[in-house]
Amino acid sequence: MPTFAYQASDAAGRDVSGSIEAPDRASAVRQLTGRGLQPFQVKEGAAKAPVRGVGKAAAASKPTAKGRTAAEPEPGSGPIKLSGKQLQLFTEELAELLEAGMRLEQALKLMEGKGTAGTHSRIAARLGSLIREGHPFSSALKQASPSFNELFCAVAAAGEAGGSLSESMKRQGMYLAKVRELKSQVAVALIYPGFLGFSAVAVTILFTTFLIPRLSGMMSRMRGGVPKGVQLILDFSAFMRGYWWMLLAGAALLGLLFWVWSGSKKGRPVWDETKLKIPFFGNVLMANFHTQFLETLASLTGGGLPLLKGLELASRISANLFIQKQLVNVIDGVRDGSALSRSLEKTSLFPMNLLEMVRIGEHTGDISGTLRRAADRCGRELEKSLEKLMAMLQPMIILVMAGLVGVMAYMMITIIYDTVATLNSRR
């Protein structure tokens, strides 16, 4: 009887591994589930002994199913990288085929032939080849492309072990679509402020390097001297034209020092915590974290992973060290037997309305659905935060541009007034 090596999570969320004898892989999964384990990797681990007299070199030169030797690399075996859009489309297409009743290998074969020698065709061919060699789907994903991150592979492993791979892929496709939509919203919201900021810089450069120097010659011949306000502007323009390289070098040096400090062991935790407290900008960061964390945790727990394992994986979505430290405390609390809502409440990351939703999910037993509804609410809050941020940035940039135009208008009106006064005095 074949022997299957497995990795699973027990009722307490601890990772366990071992081997089990079963007629086939499905029977092995059922036996592990009956023992109260949640398998996330099950593969046949018993290998036939090599034929006597055949060494490693001979075994390595044994042809594979494609006519290659095991020592020869597969053609095009380099890493295949997928963009966010490609990853989403691949996941959605695979989910549709599996939901239609096709087996995984057949679905990948169809996707391989359906492609036009592009990325989807290559990744489907790579996955199909690995699966035919006996690798589980989650393991094949890790080997096929670095674009399938640990969260994606965990969702696939949970769906594969629970017999709901099509549902897991469908849920993952929806999650990837939401993440792309959030990024698109942020990018679109920054287009107009970015254009205004560029215009403000361009107007400043035009004033200080072209217009003000031309006016300074006229104003130097004014009777009674140049007004103090105008003289300050002229001096500032002369300083900018003479020492612009020094200012640019100083700004670059300050930026470099800040970049080094914010990436150091002492500076990064301070900066990660500080930027969450910046008005408006910090609200956007927190809303984005809430949406991605809750949506990821909902996908993982809904796919069959234990809550503790899902928390460990979902805690890695944020690169913010302050957030990661808070989530470690949440994981420790759940591991010690505390409820998820109580563990989240002990941090400073989640508002009370979200905690109440999580608490309701615990009482009703639908924690995955509640987390997804909470993620949807956070997505709406993120949209509102973005709108508020853009509403603040646009007037600020417009005020700066209006100030620059006002300065030029003041100088021109002063010149015109003094010129008229000079002409009148000569009559």
Side-chain angles (χ1 to χ4, degrees):
M1 185 176 294
T3 301
F4 293 86
Y6 68 85
Q7 293 182 2
S9 297
D10 59 14
R14 295 186 297 267
D15 291 345
V16 295
S17 60
S19 60
I20 187 172
E21 291 186 354
D24 51 34
R25 186 173 180 278
S27 300
V29 171
R30 285 193 294 270
Q31 290 186 38
L32 293 171
T33 305
R35 297 180 184 178
L37 299 177
Q38 178 63 57
F40 52 86
Q41 183 173 341
V42 179
K43 60 181 179 180
E44 192 169 354
K48 294 182 180 180
V51 180
R52 183 177 298 177
V54 179
K56 291 183 179 180
S61 63
K62 181 179 178 180
T64 63
K66 292 188 176 182
R68 299 179 284 106
T69 62
E72 294 175 356
E74 182 182 352
S77 58
I80 303 175
K81 294 185 178 180
L82 303 174
S83 65
K85 182 178 180 180
Q86 290 174 333
L87 182 61
Q88 176 195 341
L89 294 177
F90 178 84
T91 306
E92 291 175 345
E93 185 175 354
L94 179 60
E96 290 175 0
L97 294 175
L98 294 175
E99 198 171 15
M102 296 188 67
R103 294 175 57 246
L104 176 60
E105 189 174 344
Q106 293 174 338
L108 291 172
K109 192 69 176 178
L110 180 61
M111 295 175 67
E112 178 183 352
K114 187 178 179 181
T116 57
T119 305
H120 282 195
S121 178
R122 291 171 56 207
I123 198 68
R126 180 78 61 84
L127 287 171
S129 175
L130 291 169
I131 289 174
R132 285 190 292 272
E133 291 175 3
H135 296 276
F137 181 54
S138 56
S139 176
L141 288 171
K142 293 180 182 179
Q143 300 179 52
S145 172
S147 301
F148 298 112
N149 56 22
E150 189 174 2
L151 291 173
F152 193 105
C153 295
V155 171
E160 192 177 20
S164 58
L165 184 58
S166 61
E167 182 65 24
S168 297
M169 289 295 98
K170 181 179 179 181
R171 191 179 296 112
Q172 187 68 10
M174 294 171 60
Y175 167 71
L176 293 173
K178 287 188 176 181
V179 171
R180 286 192 64 239
E181 184 179 358
L182 287 175
K183 292 180 179 179
S184 177
Q185 288 176 354
V186 173
V188 170
L190 291 176
I191 289 177
Y192 183 58
F195 173 75
L196 291 179
F198 174 79
S199 300
V201 173
V203 169
T204 303
I205 294 175
L206 177 65
F207 283 0
T208 56
T209 60
F210 180 73
L211 295 177
I212 293 179
R214 290 203 168 195
L215 292 174
S216 62
M218 297 176 57
M219 301 190 72
S220 62
R221 295 190 295 270
M222 290 173 51
R223 190 182 64 174
V226 181
K228 292 183 179 180
V230 176
Q231 186 61 50
L232 289 175
I233 297 174
L234 293 176
D235 293 341
F236 174 75
S237 175
F239 177 79
M240 291 289 292
R241 285 184 286 112
Y243 299 96
W244 63 268
W245 57 271
M246 185 181 299
L247 296 175
L248 185 61
L253 180 60
L254 289 176
L256 179 61
L257 292 175
F258 176 78
W259 180 74
V260 172
W261 173 80
S262 62
S264 64
K265 292 183 179 180
K266 293 183 178 180
R268 184 179 174 185
V270 177
W271 170 239
D272 283 351
E273 183 177 1
T274 302
K275 62 186 177 183
L276 296 177
K277 300 177 181 179
I278 299 176
F280 299 103
F281 181 72
N283 294 337
V284 172
L285 293 179
M286 288 303 298
N288 185 50
F289 159 69
H290 290 154
T291 304
Q292 293 197 31
F293 174 76
L294 294 172
E295 182 65 33
T296 302
L297 186 58
S299 297
L300 292 172
T301 55
L305 278 182
L307 177 60
L308 185 58
K309 186 69 175 180
L311 277 172
E312 292 175 353
L313 293 172
S315 64
R316 302 171 190 172
I317 65 166
S318 176
N320 190 295
L321 294 183
F322 176 76
I323 292 178
Q324 289 181 0
K325 184 178 179 180
Q326 297 287 319
L327 291 179
V328 167
N329 296 332
V330 173
I331 294 172
D332 292 339
V334 173
R335 183 181 290 114
D336 294 338
S338 178
L340 175 62
S341 58
R342 182 60 61 88
S343 299
L344 294 176
E345 189 176 3
K346 293 180 180 178
T347 69
S348 58
L349 299 178
F350 298 90
M352 187 56 64
N353 58 347
L354 290 183
L355 295 175
E356 289 297 330
M357 292 188 68
V358 175
R359 192 172 289 113
I360 291 173
E362 291 173 336
H363 287 309
T364 59
D366 184 22
I367 186 67
S368 176
T370 303
L371 289 173
R372 185 163 285 107
R373 289 189 291 273
D376 292 338
R377 175 181 290 185
C378 290
R380 293 191 294 269
E381 291 295 328
L382 176 59
E383 293 178 1
K384 294 179 181 179
S385 298
L386 284 173
E387 291 176 357
K388 291 179 181 179
L389 180 61
M390 296 307 105
M392 288 296 299
L393 282 177
Q394 294 172 13
M396 290 175 62
I397 297 175
I398 292 174
L399 284 175
V400 172
M401 295 181 66
L404 294 173
V405 174
V407 168
M408 284 303 301
Y410 167 73
M411 294 181 63
M412 293 177 66
I413 292 173
T414 301
I415 294 174
I416 294 173
Y417 176 79
D418 289 342
T419 302
V420 172
T422 301
L423 291 176
N424 290 332
S425 65
R426 292 178 180 179
R427 291 180 182 178

